[in-house]
């Protein structure tokens, strides 16, 4: 049975494809459980990456709260007639805390990315190893 598709060979001549040349469907896609099973050996690394991600996000959420404290120090304390040097000291403390929290958040995000990358590379290497060993176990007729 011929399919109405045309391709080109190396000499730019029209070539007709037959249905038998097409890739056959090998069945349903892998389930989520099967995909997660591939990462089972890296579960500790992925759990550590998840925890680092949570703390990194908390640092990102803490920044606006600290900046709100700076705003309150400026508006409320100056309205109450507090000394400008004391207000400036409070603002300096809060802004130093903002910088430290932000830097810590970025540091944690970096290590989360590092751990995720390591886990991903290990999973891919394991999959490649399994594929290679499976190819080696095939009969010679498979390669014909």
């Amino acid at each position: 049975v011929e399919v109405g598709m045309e391709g080109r060979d190396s000499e730019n001549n029209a070539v007709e494809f037959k249905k038998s040349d097409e890739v056959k469907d090998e069945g349903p896609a892998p389930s989520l459980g099967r995909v997660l099973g591939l990462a089972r050996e890296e579960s500790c690394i992925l759990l550590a990456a998840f925890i680092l991600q949570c703390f990194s996000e908390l640092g990102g959420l803490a920044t606006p709260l600290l900046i709100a404290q700076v705003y309150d120090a400026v508006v409320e304390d100056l309205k109450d007639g507090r000394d400008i040097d004391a207000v400036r000291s409070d603002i300096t403390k809060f802004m130093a805390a903002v910088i430290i929290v932000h830097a810590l958040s970025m540091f944690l995000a970096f290590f989360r990315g590092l751990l995720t990358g390591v886990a991903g590379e290990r999973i891919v290497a394991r999959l490649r190893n399994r594929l290679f060993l499976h190819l080696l176990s095939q009969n010679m007729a498979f390669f014909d």
Side-chain angles (χ1 to χ4, degrees):
V1 176
E2 292 184 6
V3 177
M5 297 173 35
E6 288 190 5
R8 303 277 176 197
D9 64 5
S10 61
E11 297 174 2
N12 289 330
N13 296 325
V15 176
E16 293 197 21
F17 294 105
K18 297 184 178 181
K19 190 168 184 135
S20 62
D21 293 340
E22 292 179 13
V23 176
K24 295 180 182 173
D25 186 19
E26 295 295 327
S31 66
L32 179 63
R34 203 167 163 195
V35 172
L36 291 177
L38 294 172
R40 184 169 287 128
E41 292 182 33
E42 308 306 324
S43 61
C44 292
I45 292 175
L46 292 173
L47 179 65
F50 177 74
I51 291 170
L52 288 176
Q53 177 68 31
C54 290
F55 282 117
S56 174
E57 290 298 320
L58 283 175
L61 293 172
T63 301
L65 293 173
L66 290 171
I67 291 177
Q69 294 290 329
V70 171
Y71 178 77
D72 289 343
V74 169
V75 173
E76 298 297 325
D77 291 343
L78 289 179
K79 190 188 330 179
D80 292 341
R82 227 175 120 200
D83 182 33
I84 189 104
D85 290 331
V87 173
R88 187 175 294 143
S89 174
D90 287 346
I91 291 172
T92 303
K93 287 180 204 173
F94 284 123
M95 292 311 287
V98 166
I99 291 171
I100 290 169
V101 166
H102 185 71
L104 184 62
S105 176
M106 292 296 113
F107 183 74
L108 292 175
F110 169 76
F111 277 107
R112 188 254 329 144
L114 184 73
L115 289 177
T116 305
V118 166
E121 290 296 325
R122 286 176 149 182
I123 292 167
V124 169
R126 201 168 30 259
L127 276 172
R128 287 180 181 163
N129 245 354
R130 285 175 52 187
L131 176 65
F132 182 68
L133 291 174
H134 183 69
L135 283 174
L136 288 178
S137 70
Q138 296 295 322
N139 293 335
M140 285 303 292
F142 174 79
F143 299 103
D144 287 338

